[in-house]
PDB file of all heavy atoms in Angstrom:
ATOM      1  N   PRO A   1     117.120  21.688  54.632  1.00 96.00           N
ATOM      2  CA  PRO A   1     117.284  23.170  54.329  1.00 96.00           C
ATOM      3  C   PRO A   1     116.146  23.699  53.331  1.00 96.00           C
ATOM      4  O   PRO A   1     115.783  24.860  53.497  1.00 96.00           O
ATOM      5  CB  PRO A   1     118.568  23.164  53.468  1.00 96.00           C
ATOM      6  CG  PRO A   1     119.379  22.162  54.158  1.00 96.00           C
ATOM      7  CD  PRO A   1     118.408  20.985  54.504  1.00 96.00           C
ATOM      8  N   ILE A   2     115.538  22.795  52.581  1.00 98.00           N
ATOM      9  CA  ILE A   2     114.337  23.161  51.786  1.00 98.00           C
ATOM     10  C   ILE A   2     113.256  23.847  52.635  1.00 98.00           C
ATOM     11  O   ILE A   2     112.742  24.893  52.396  1.00 98.00           O
ATOM     12  CB  ILE A   2     113.825  22.045  50.916  1.00 98.00           C
ATOM     13  CG1 ILE A   2     114.901  21.471  50.017  1.00 98.00           C
ATOM     14  CG2 ILE A   2     112.575  22.459  50.164  1.00 98.00           C
ATOM     15  CD1 ILE A   2     114.537  20.184  49.312  1.00 98.00           C
ATOM     16  N   VAL A   3     112.845  23.041  53.693  1.00 98.00           N
ATOM     17  CA  VAL A   3     111.669  23.570  54.413  1.00 98.00           C
ATOM     18  C   VAL A   3     112.120  24.568  55.510  1.00 98.00           C
ATOM     19  O   VAL A   3     111.296  25.452  55.838  1.00 98.00           O
ATOM     20  CB  VAL A   3     110.928  22.352  55.123  1.00 98.00           C
ATOM     21  CG1 VAL A   3     110.327  21.376  54.048  1.00 98.00           C
ATOM     22  CG2 VAL A   3     111.883  21.615  55.918  1.00 98.00           C
ATOM     23  N   GLU A   4     113.320  24.593  55.884  1.00 97.00           N
ATOM     24  CA  GLU A   4     113.770  25.734  56.720  1.00 97.00           C
ATOM     25  C   GLU A   4     113.694  27.048  55.928  1.00 97.00           C
ATOM     26  O   GLU A   4     113.339  28.074  56.526  1.00 97.00           O
ATOM     27  CB  GLU A   4     115.176  25.443  57.271  1.00 97.00           C
ATOM     28  CG  GLU A   4     115.320  24.357  58.182  1.00 97.00           C
ATOM     29  CD  GLU A   4     116.763  23.963  58.707  1.00 97.00           C
ATOM     30  OE1 GLU A   4     117.621  24.374  58.021  1.00 97.00           O
ATOM     31  OE2 GLU A   4     116.859  23.386  59.732  1.00 97.00           O
ATOM     32  N   ALA A   5     114.151  26.993  54.763  1.00 98.00           N
ATOM     33  CA  ALA A   5     114.155  28.184  53.860  1.00 98.00           C
ATOM     34  C   ALA A   5     112.723  28.607  53.687  1.00 98.00           C
ATOM     35  O   ALA A   5     112.349  29.818  53.709  1.00 98.00           O
ATOM     36  CB  ALA A   5     114.815  27.934  52.587  1.00 98.00           C
ATOM     37  N   PHE A   6     111.724  27.635  53.421  1.00 98.00           N
ATOM     38  CA  PHE A   6     110.381  27.993  53.148  1.00 98.00           C
ATOM     39  C   PHE A   6     109.731  28.840  54.380  1.00 98.00           C
ATOM     40  O   PHE A   6     109.150  29.804  54.216  1.00 98.00           O
ATOM     41  CB  PHE A   6     109.510  26.602  53.074  1.00 98.00           C
ATOM     42  CG  PHE A   6     109.631  26.029  51.748  1.00 98.00           C
ATOM     43  CD1 PHE A   6     109.065  24.716  51.639  1.00 98.00           C
ATOM     44  CD2 PHE A   6     110.126  26.579  50.605  1.00 98.00           C
ATOM     45  CE1 PHE A   6     109.273  24.097  50.476  1.00 98.00           C
ATOM     46  CE2 PHE A   6     110.251  25.922  49.320  1.00 98.00           C
ATOM     47  CZ  PHE A   6     109.753  24.640  49.372  1.00 98.00           C
ATOM     48  N   ALA A   7     110.135  28.165  55.625  1.00 98.00           N
ATOM     49  CA  ALA A   7     109.555  28.828  56.878  1.00 98.00           C
ATOM     50  C   ALA A   7     110.074  30.228  57.112  1.00 98.00           C
ATOM     51  O   ALA A   7     109.548  31.042  57.762  1.00 98.00           O
ATOM     52  CB  ALA A   7     109.927  28.031  57.969  1.00 98.00           C
ATOM     53  N   CYS A   8     111.308  30.562  56.532  1.00 98.00           N
ATOM     54  CA  CYS A   8     111.804  31.917  56.622  1.00 98.00           C
ATOM     55  C   CYS A   8     111.548  32.861  55.475  1.00 98.00           C
ATOM     56  O   CYS A   8     111.995  33.952  55.451  1.00 98.00           O
ATOM     57  CB  CYS A   8     113.500  31.786  56.751  1.00 98.00           C
ATOM     58  SG  CYS A   8     114.032  30.890  58.154  1.00 98.00           S
ATOM     59  N   GLY A   9     110.658  32.549  54.499  1.00 98.00           N
ATOM     60  CA  GLY A   9     110.401  33.285  53.406  1.00 98.00           C
ATOM     61  C   GLY A   9     111.472  33.432  52.428  1.00 98.00           C
ATOM     62  O   GLY A   9     111.602  34.472  51.800  1.00 98.00           O
ATOM     63  N   CYS A  10     112.223  32.354  52.216  1.00 98.00           N
ATOM     64  CA  CYS A  10     113.425  32.459  51.276  1.00 98.00           C
ATOM     65  C   CYS A  10     113.004  31.428  50.102  1.00 98.00           C
ATOM     66  O   CYS A  10     112.703  30.348  50.255  1.00 98.00           O
ATOM     67  CB  CYS A  10     114.613  31.913  51.871  1.00 98.00           C
ATOM     68  SG  CYS A  10     116.050  31.668  50.829  1.00 98.00           S
ATOM     69  N   PRO A  11     112.934  31.963  48.878  1.00 98.00           N
ATOM     70  CA  PRO A  11     112.699  31.112  47.729  1.00 98.00           C
ATOM     71  C   PRO A  11     113.786  30.080  47.389  1.00 98.00           C
ATOM     72  O   PRO A  11     114.993  30.233  47.756  1.00 98.00           O
ATOM     73  CB  PRO A  11     112.573  32.123  46.577  1.00 98.00           C
ATOM     74  CG  PRO A  11     113.387  33.305  46.969  1.00 98.00           C
ATOM     75  CD  PRO A  11     113.210  33.450  48.463  1.00 98.00           C
ATOM     76  N   VAL A  12     113.287  28.945  46.835  1.00 98.00           N
ATOM     77  CA  VAL A  12     114.258  27.875  46.891  1.00 98.00           C
ATOM     78  C   VAL A  12     114.348  27.258  45.408  1.00 98.00           C
ATOM     79  O   VAL A  12     113.313  27.101  44.690  1.00 98.00           O
ATOM     80  CB  VAL A  12     113.625  26.712  47.812  1.00 98.00           C
ATOM     81  CG1 VAL A  12     114.432  25.365  47.596  1.00 98.00           C
ATOM     82  CG2 VAL A  12     113.573  27.145  49.316  1.00 98.00           C
ATOM     83  N   ILE A  13     115.527  26.824  45.163  1.00 98.00           N
ATOM     84  CA  ILE A  13     115.834  26.077  43.920  1.00 98.00           C
ATOM     85  C   ILE A  13     116.245  24.673  44.552  1.00 98.00           C
ATOM     86  O   ILE A  13     117.231  24.535  45.365  1.00 98.00           O
ATOM     87  CB  ILE A  13     117.015  26.653  43.110  1.00 98.00           C
ATOM     88  CG1 ILE A  13     116.622  28.096  42.509  1.00 98.00           C
ATOM     89  CG2 ILE A  13     117.501  25.699  41.939  1.00 98.00           C
ATOM     90  CD1 ILE A  13     117.853  28.811  41.998  1.00 98.00           C
ATOM     91  N   THR A  14     115.738  23.660  44.015  1.00 98.00           N
ATOM     92  CA  THR A  14     116.196  22.230  44.387  1.00 98.00           C
ATOM     93  C   THR A  14     116.040  21.228  43.327  1.00 98.00           C
ATOM     94  O   THR A  14     115.538  21.668  42.195  1.00 98.00           O
ATOM     95  CB  THR A  14     115.460  21.907  45.842  1.00 98.00           C
ATOM     96  OG1 THR A  14     116.074  20.664  46.313  1.00 98.00           O
ATOM     97  CG2 THR A  14     113.890  21.433  45.492  1.00 98.00           C
ATOM     98  N   SER A  15     116.461  19.937  43.529  1.00 98.00           N
ATOM     99  CA  SER A  15     116.525  19.067  42.654  1.00 98.00           C
ATOM    100  C   SER A  15     115.232  18.376  42.215  1.00 98.00           C
ATOM    101  O   SER A  15     114.309  18.282  43.127  1.00 98.00           O
ATOM    102  CB  SER A  15     117.504  18.110  42.898  1.00 98.00           C
ATOM    103  OG  SER A  15     118.876  18.461  43.025  1.00 98.00           O
ATOM    104  N   ASN A  16     115.127  17.761  41.065  1.00 98.00           N
ATOM    105  CA  ASN A  16     113.856  17.039  40.608  1.00 98.00           C
ATOM    106  C   ASN A  16     113.976  15.567  40.851  1.00 98.00           C
ATOM    107  O   ASN A  16     113.293  14.803  40.140  1.00 98.00           O
ATOM    108  CB  ASN A  16     113.689  17.419  39.149  1.00 98.00           C
ATOM    109  CG  ASN A  16     114.704  17.026  38.236  1.00 98.00           C
ATOM    110  OD1 ASN A  16     115.625  16.403  38.561  1.00 98.00           O
ATOM    111  ND2 ASN A  16     114.611  17.427  36.915  1.00 98.00           N
ATOM    112  N   ILE A  17     114.989  15.109  41.655  1.00 97.00           N
ATOM    113  CA  ILE A  17     115.113  13.752  41.989  1.00 97.00           C
ATOM    114  C   ILE A  17     115.169  13.473  43.487  1.00 97.00           C
ATOM    115  O   ILE A  17     115.191  14.236  44.333  1.00 97.00           O
ATOM    116  CB  ILE A  17     116.588  13.273  41.435  1.00 97.00           C
ATOM    117  CG1 ILE A  17     117.657  14.075  42.068  1.00 97.00           C
ATOM    118  CG2 ILE A  17     116.659  13.421  39.998  1.00 97.00           C
ATOM    119  CD1 ILE A  17     119.130  13.679  41.718  1.00 97.00           C
ATOM    120  N   THR A  18     115.230  12.154  43.811  1.00 96.00           N
ATOM    121  CA  THR A  18     115.052  11.512  45.155  1.00 96.00           C
ATOM    122  C   THR A  18     113.799  12.143  45.827  1.00 96.00           C
ATOM    123  O   THR A  18     112.831  12.339  45.347  1.00 96.00           O
ATOM    124  CB  THR A  18     116.419  11.510  45.851  1.00 96.00           C
ATOM    125  OG1 THR A  18     116.838  12.924  46.188  1.00 96.00           O
ATOM    126  CG2 THR A  18     117.415  10.924  45.039  1.00 96.00           C
ATOM    127  N   SER A  19     113.999  12.476  47.110  1.00 97.00           N
ATOM    128  CA  SER A  19     112.990  13.042  47.954  1.00 97.00           C
ATOM    129  C   SER A  19     112.635  14.555  47.728  1.00 97.00           C
ATOM    130  O   SER A  19     111.530  14.912  48.266  1.00 97.00           O
ATOM    131  CB  SER A  19     113.317  12.913  49.427  1.00 97.00           C
ATOM    132  OG  SER A  19     114.487  13.809  49.763  1.00 97.00           O
ATOM    133  N   MET A  20     113.430  15.225  47.068  1.00 98.00           N
ATOM    134  CA  MET A  20     113.259  16.646  47.043  1.00 98.00           C
ATOM    135  C   MET A  20     111.985  17.192  46.417  1.00 98.00           C
ATOM    136  O   MET A  20     111.372  18.133  46.911  1.00 98.00           O
ATOM    137  CB  MET A  20     114.563  17.385  46.399  1.00 98.00           C
ATOM    138  CG  MET A  20     115.763  17.219  47.365  1.00 98.00           C
ATOM    139  SD  MET A  20     117.279  17.539  46.598  1.00 98.00           S
ATOM    140  CE  MET A  20     117.651  15.922  45.720  1.00 98.00           C
ATOM    141  N   PRO A  21     111.522  16.617  45.222  1.00 98.00           N
ATOM    142  CA  PRO A  21     110.199  17.093  44.686  1.00 98.00           C
ATOM    143  C   PRO A  21     109.086  16.698  45.665  1.00 98.00           C
ATOM    144  O   PRO A  21     108.141  17.559  45.874  1.00 98.00           O
ATOM    145  CB  PRO A  21     109.953  16.222  43.424  1.00 98.00           C
ATOM    146  CG  PRO A  21     111.423  15.888  43.110  1.00 98.00           C
ATOM    147  CD  PRO A  21     112.222  15.647  44.382  1.00 98.00           C
ATOM    148  N   GLU A  22     109.148  15.588  46.375  1.00 98.00           N
ATOM    149  CA  GLU A  22     108.181  15.260  47.456  1.00 98.00           C
ATOM    150  C   GLU A  22     108.109  16.321  48.567  1.00 98.00           C
ATOM    151  O   GLU A  22     106.951  16.728  49.012  1.00 98.00           O
ATOM    152  CB  GLU A  22     108.469  13.872  48.067  1.00 98.00           C
ATOM    153  CG  GLU A  22     107.605  13.409  49.188  1.00 98.00           C
ATOM    154  CD  GLU A  22     108.116  12.098  49.802  1.00 98.00           C
ATOM    155  OE1 GLU A  22     109.119  11.389  49.176  1.00 98.00           O
ATOM    156  OE2 GLU A  22     107.624  11.802  50.949  1.00 98.00           O
ATOM    157  N   VAL A  23     109.276  16.640  49.093  1.00 98.00           N
ATOM    158  CA  VAL A  23     109.322  17.665  50.139  1.00 98.00           C
ATOM    159  C   VAL A  23     108.921  19.085  49.628  1.00 98.00           C
ATOM    160  O   VAL A  23     108.147  19.849  50.359  1.00 98.00           O
ATOM    161  CB  VAL A  23     110.708  17.704  50.717  1.00 98.00           C
ATOM    162  CG1 VAL A  23     110.874  18.774  51.769  1.00 98.00           C
ATOM    163  CG2 VAL A  23     111.025  16.287  51.436  1.00 98.00           C
ATOM    164  N   ALA A  24     109.408  19.414  48.460  1.00 98.00           N
ATOM    165  CA  ALA A  24     109.132  20.929  48.052  1.00 98.00           C
ATOM    166  C   ALA A  24     107.766  21.127  47.480  1.00 98.00           C
ATOM    167  O   ALA A  24     107.268  22.196  47.609  1.00 98.00           O
ATOM    168  CB  ALA A  24     110.135  21.262  46.862  1.00 98.00           C
ATOM    169  N   GLY A  25     107.104  20.010  46.944  1.00 97.00           N
ATOM    170  CA  GLY A  25     105.801  20.258  46.409  1.00 97.00           C
ATOM    171  C   GLY A  25     105.917  21.217  45.119  1.00 97.00           C
ATOM    172  O   GLY A  25     106.861  21.160  44.393  1.00 97.00           O
ATOM    173  N   ASP A  26     105.001  22.120  45.136  1.00 97.00           N
ATOM    174  CA  ASP A  26     104.962  23.119  43.978  1.00 97.00           C
ATOM    175  C   ASP A  26     105.600  24.452  44.395  1.00 97.00           C
ATOM    176  O   ASP A  26     105.425  25.463  43.798  1.00 97.00           O
ATOM    177  CB  ASP A  26     103.680  23.343  43.420  1.00 97.00           C
ATOM    178  CG  ASP A  26     102.651  23.929  44.355  1.00 97.00           C
ATOM    179  OD1 ASP A  26     102.931  24.006  45.546  1.00 97.00           O
ATOM    180  OD2 ASP A  26     101.609  24.404  43.888  1.00 97.00           O
ATOM    181  N   ALA A  27     106.275  24.334  45.650  1.00 98.00           N
ATOM    182  CA  ALA A  27     106.738  25.628  46.263  1.00 98.00           C
ATOM    183  C   ALA A  27     108.189  26.046  45.917  1.00 98.00           C
ATOM    184  O   ALA A  27     108.675  27.021  46.523  1.00 98.00           O
ATOM    185  CB  ALA A  27     106.528  25.632  47.825  1.00 98.00           C
ATOM    186  N   ALA A  28     108.879  25.206  45.016  1.00 98.00           N
ATOM    187  CA  ALA A  28     110.249  25.526  44.719  1.00 98.00           C
ATOM    188  C   ALA A  28     110.403  25.416  43.204  1.00 98.00           C
ATOM    189  O   ALA A  28     109.669  24.713  42.524  1.00 98.00           O
ATOM    190  CB  ALA A  28     111.187  24.599  45.450  1.00 98.00           C
ATOM    191  N   LEU A  29     111.539  25.918  42.706  1.00 98.00           N
ATOM    192  CA  LEU A  29     111.893  25.672  41.260  1.00 98.00           C
ATOM    193  C   LEU A  29     112.674  24.373  41.367  1.00 98.00           C
ATOM    194  O   LEU A  29     113.757  24.276  42.002  1.00 98.00           O
ATOM    195  CB  LEU A  29     112.854  26.833  40.684  1.00 98.00           C
ATOM    196  CG  LEU A  29     112.178  28.186  40.618  1.00 98.00           C
ATOM    197  CD1 LEU A  29     113.092  29.157  40.029  1.00 98.00           C
ATOM    198  CD2 LEU A  29     110.984  28.052  39.637  1.00 98.00           C
ATOM    199  N   LEU A  30     112.341  23.396  40.563  1.00 98.00           N
ATOM    200  CA  LEU A  30     112.935  22.150  40.359  1.00 98.00           C
ATOM    201  C   LEU A  30     113.806  21.989  39.212  1.00 98.00           C
ATOM    202  O   LEU A  30     113.535  22.476  38.139  1.00 98.00           O
ATOM    203  CB  LEU A  30     111.871  20.996  40.338  1.00 98.00           C
ATOM    204  CG  LEU A  30     110.952  20.826  41.491  1.00 98.00           C
ATOM    205  CD1 LEU A  30     110.087  19.563  41.249  1.00 98.00           C
ATOM    206  CD2 LEU A  30     111.729  20.605  43.000  1.00 98.00           C
ATOM    207  N   VAL A  31     115.171  21.652  39.367  1.00 98.00           N
ATOM    208  CA  VAL A  31     116.127  21.628  38.288  1.00 98.00           C
ATOM    209  C   VAL A  31     116.720  20.190  38.242  1.00 98.00           C
ATOM    210  O   VAL A  31     116.709  19.433  39.074  1.00 98.00           O
ATOM    211  CB  VAL A  31     117.144  22.587  38.619  1.00 98.00           C
ATOM    212  CG1 VAL A  31     116.621  24.043  38.592  1.00 98.00           C
ATOM    213  CG2 VAL A  31     118.030  22.340  39.870  1.00 98.00           C
ATOM    214  N   ASP A  32     117.311  19.992  36.986  1.00 98.00           N
ATOM    215  CA  ASP A  32     118.139  18.798  36.893  1.00 98.00           C
ATOM    216  C   ASP A  32     119.445  19.148  37.431  1.00 98.00           C
ATOM    217  O   ASP A  32     120.270  20.027  37.108  1.00 98.00           O
ATOM    218  CB  ASP A  32     118.392  18.629  35.317  1.00 98.00           C
ATOM    219  CG  ASP A  32     119.287  17.485  35.043  1.00 98.00           C
ATOM    220  OD1 ASP A  32     119.839  16.890  35.920  1.00 98.00           O
ATOM    221  OD2 ASP A  32     119.583  17.155  33.772  1.00 98.00           O
TER     222      ASP A  32
END
């Protein structure tokens, strides 16, 4: 869902653990 949202122009909040920082790069807000 992170990259699907990116492709649709939807801003993303996701987690700072497991694979999510790797997938999001600097294009999302990372949270605990």
Side-chain angles (χ1 to χ4, degrees):
I2 297 170
V3 294
E4 289 177 343
F6 285 166
C8 294
C10 175
V12 174
I13 298 167
T14 194
S15 299
N16 60 7
I17 57 172
T18 67
S19 65
M20 289 164 280
E22 175 187 344
V23 171
D26 67 349
L29 293 183
L30 300 182
V31 300
D32 174 1

